[in-house]
Structure formats: structure tokens, C-alpha cells
Amino acid sequence: MGSAFVYAAARTPFGRFNGALADVRPDDLAATALRGVLAKLPGLDPAEIGDVVWGNANGAGEDNRNVGRMAVLLAGLPVTVPATTVNRLCGSSLDAAVIGSRTVESGDADVVVTGGVESMTRAPWVLPKPSRAFPAGDVTAVSTTLGWRLVNPRMPKEWTVSLGEANEQLQERFGISRERQDAFAARSHVLADAAWNDGFYDDMVVPVEGAALTRDEGIRPGTTPEILAGLKPAFRPGGTITAGNASPLNDGASAVVLGSEAAAGRIGADPIARVAGRAACALEPQMFGYAPVEAANQALRRAGIGWDDVGAVELNEAFAVQSLACLDAWKVDPEIVNTRGGAIAIGHPLGASGGRVLGTLAHVLRERRRRWGVAAICIGVGQGLAVVLENVSAS
């Protein structure tokens, strides 16, 4: 089998919940990211794309069931370009890249575009269908924005706690202080702001038509641990998790072009990085924040390297506490992690975040001239995903 390579990555700016991208449909966000990443490869004939694999966590409204296919059509690609949509919740677009890389490696396609989208602002309320006609009682509309909904009563209660409560339990288990969480969160904002000011994201982020948003909306320059220390706990009285040390609700899309080495001529560009290893891991649902630990460890083993070889890590910051738990378990130098900011500042539009961390990792490896990097993400209901990239210019 051959190898799969990253050729280009792009994303929209990430908007805050009910913010600058609130009026933009998720299928239009997806089409924007798709057009944006292909614009970086003008030599690639879109008809050469063997498949589009798109991630989306909600899919209950304008995502339109198969938002990947909708993005292909709305982006103006040939109708002959196929597309599918995958759902591994927060890991959906990283899962899309995993699937796309396998497709390339197997020879089923030479070029695959992967990505993901989420509009958490526009996620609809849903009503369960009645079991019989004309029920007399009230029916509750359930938000599809985030977390459990319409829970099966057979599920054990300890599995179905809120995402915040699950991470408070993680905090208790590993003794990660509020002070460490706030310091980690403040660092995310400082580094993300610096990355934008340095121009790091200028080539990666594509504008959204009709939206006056030029950079990620959630970044708060000047954030300090002292400022964050003044926020109240969000999930437990006396708890440690606040709105400041957890990722917000967001809207956005990301995209990555994967291809074989032989496809470079048709793509019209040299590859950036090689997909060297990947893995999925699962734990008890309430332990989802810790699931990236073994996923990354397995991906590194499959790549034939260890943590001492890793020069950059992009870990999606769903919560500061789960990020710190993962870093502690890996015993990795925190200074190589999320050097250009993380999801606490940039945002976490569920289906788009995996593509963001993968694309960012490829560019960070090139910027820092490091050979090996890990992209990892935790996933609600007890899962984690990780991908190892090799910087081909440093090999």
C-alpha cells in the first residue's frame, strides 16, 4: 500500500455562538471551506477528486443529512464528484481525514478532500414523533446544539452526565487545580492572538461571503489567569470548570486535501506532510476527555516512533482540565502543544475541529521545522482520535 499525504488545508474563521456567522447556513460554510482549500491548488482539476469525506456532528437541520454532498454541489464542483458525511461527534472531521487517508493508501482514489462543518448557532430544536396520533400532553422541544438528547432510559446514569460534569469528575480523579486550568486557558488566548498578529493564519483561513469576520471571533487578547479566576463555576457549586477554561460554542468549517505521492503532478503542488499513523480509542462515556491518551499512544506505535520524537502536538482543547490530563499522561513538553492557540480561544465547532487541528499541525511542523507531530481530539460518549503526521520537508 502507498502513503497518503496532506497537500493543502483551509478553514473559515470560527464564529462565536450567535455571532458573526449566525446568519450563514452550515452547508454554505462547508462549501466555503471546500472552495477555499481547492483555491490553494489551482492546478488541480476538481473532476480528479475521487471522493469528498465530510464530518458533521449534528445533522439535524440545514446540515441536510449528507452535508458533504451539499457542499460539493454548492461549491460548484462537477456533479460527478461523490461525497459522504461521517459522524464521530467532535472528532468527525478528523475521522473524515482518517477515512480519506485509508482511501488514498488503498488506491481507491488518488485525491480525496476531507473536512467538516458545524453551525452550533443554527442547530435546531427537535421534537420526537408521537407513538400514536394526537397525544393529549405537552411535547418538549430538545436542543441539538450540544450534548445528550432524547437519551435512551436503558443507559446507565453515570454515562449520561453533562460534558461539564464529566470533566469535573476528571478533575477529581487527577487533581488538576483551577489555577492550572485558568493558566492553560489564558495561554490559549495569548498564543492564538499572537498567531493572528504574526500572520500565521493568513494563508489558512478563508473569508465567508457576507460575514464581516476576518479572524476567529472568540479570541480575547489580554486574557490572564487572574481575569479567569474571577469567573464562577459553570457546572458545580464550588467546581473548577468555568466558561473561561472550557471551549465555547462555535460556527465554522475546515477542509484538507489528501492525495497519493503519484498525484502530485495532477495536483500541481508538493505535499506538506505524510499521514504516518492513526488510531481510535474508547473508554467509559464519562471519561471521554481522557480518551485521546491511548489514541495518540497507539497512533505513535503504528507510526513506529515514540513521544521523544514528537516536535509538535495539536490537541483540541474541549476543556482545559482534559487537555492537561492528556499532557500529564503523555509527559510531553507543554511548550510544543498548541503553539498557535487552541480551541479554548479559537473555538470548537464540533464537526470542523478535527480538520482544524490536522491542518494546523501540518503548518506548524513546517514552520518549526519539526519532523513528527500528533493531532488528537476527545469525543463525547467516551472516544478519542489521533493522527501522526510526518513533515516531508524535514524527513
Side-chain angles (χ1 to χ4, degrees):
M1 293 178 66
S3 293
F5 295 83
V6 175
Y7 279 87
R11 66 175 177 90
T12 69
F14 286 178
R16 295 182 65 123
F17 185 82
N18 203 28
L21 300 182
D23 292 334
V24 184
R25 289 173 55 112
D27 47 6
D28 285 326
L29 284 173
T32 297
L34 184 53
R35 283 193 299 265
V37 78
L38 293 179
K40 298 181 182 306
L41 302 170
L44 174 62
D45 179 356
E48 294 279 343
I49 298 170
D51 206 357
V52 172
V53 187
W54 213 256
N56 180 239
N58 283 329
E62 295 164 339
D63 316 82
N64 225 334
R65 293 188 174 176
N66 186 0
V67 70
R69 176 61 174 168
M70 303 306 165
V72 164
L73 298 175
L74 290 167
L77 273 62
V79 296
T80 52
V81 175
T84 187
T85 299
V86 298
N87 184 351
R88 205 191 283 256
L89 300 181
C90 308
S92 295
S93 53
L94 195 58
D95 202 21
V98 166
I99 294 167
S101 66
R102 289 177 181 143
T103 302
V104 171
E105 290 172 2
S106 69
D108 285 348
D110 270 346
V111 181
V112 176
V113 182
T114 71
V117 66
E118 212 73 57
S119 175
M120 299 178 82
T121 297
R122 299 178 73 88
W125 295 284
V126 297
L127 293 173
K129 287 184 177 179
S131 57
R132 60 185 185 280
F134 311 115
D138 297 333
V139 179
T140 301
V142 178
S143 173
T144 64
T145 301
L146 181 70
W148 294 86
R149 79 266 327 227
L150 305 176
V151 180
N152 191 314
R154 295 175 57 225
M155 283 281 188
K157 296 296 184 184
E158 63 269 23
W159 287 0
T160 62
V161 296
S162 72
L163 303 180
E165 170 58 25
N167 276 271
E168 288 286 11
Q169 293 179 18
L170 203 63
Q171 183 276 327
E172 288 179 330
R173 179 166 180 168
F174 293 105
I176 297 171
S177 68
R178 166 76 183 269
E179 290 73 22
R180 283 190 72 195
Q181 294 177 54
D182 287 346
F184 184 85
R187 174 184 182 269
S188 186
H189 285 279
V190 169
L191 293 179
D193 182 51
W196 274 103
N197 293 338
D198 293 346
F200 175 81
Y201 287 116
D202 290 352
D203 185 54
M204 294 178 60
V205 176
V206 296
V208 178
E209 184 178 355
L213 186 63
T214 58
R215 60 183 257 168
D216 302 308
E217 195 174 10
I219 300 171
R220 298 189 295 275
T223 298
T224 66
E226 292 74 24
I227 291 172
L228 296 179
L231 299 178
K232 295 180 179 180
F235 302 100
R236 279 188 188 179
T240 64
I241 299 173
T242 71
N245 58 34
S247 61
L249 305 178
N250 296 94
D251 309 326
S254 65
V256 177
V257 175
L258 300 172
S260 66
E261 190 171 18
R266 280 176 289 156
I267 292 173
D270 293 326
I272 302 171
R274 179 178 70 92
V275 177
R278 61 210 160 206
C281 177
L283 301 171
E284 298 88 345
Q286 70 274 26
M287 285 289 290
F288 76 94
Y290 198 67
V293 171
E294 185 56 26
N297 290 341
Q298 288 184 22
L300 286 168
R301 286 195 292 270
R302 291 169 183 173
I305 61 171
W307 279 109
D308 290 343
D309 301 299
V310 174
V313 177
E314 287 293 321
L315 171 64
N316 190 60
E317 300 167 353
F319 294 82
V321 65
Q322 62 83 206
S323 299
L324 289 166
C326 292
L327 301 191
D328 290 349
W330 293 328
K331 296 181 174 57
V332 68
D333 180 0
E335 293 304 310
I336 70 169
V337 178
N338 297 354
T339 57
R340 290 309 199 167
I344 288 173
I346 293 169
H348 180 22
L350 307 179
S353 289
R356 179 191 71 79
V357 297
L358 189 66
T360 302
L361 177 65
H363 284 81
V364 166
L365 287 173
R366 186 167 60 178
E367 177 194 51
R368 295 169 64 89
R369 299 181 181 180
R370 299 293 189 266
R371 181 175 179 181
W372 300 101
V374 175
I377 195 165
C378 69
I379 302 165
V381 200
Q383 297 192 86
L385 274 178
V387 172
V388 175
L389 290 184
E390 180 186 18
N391 176 8
V392 293
S393 66
S395 60

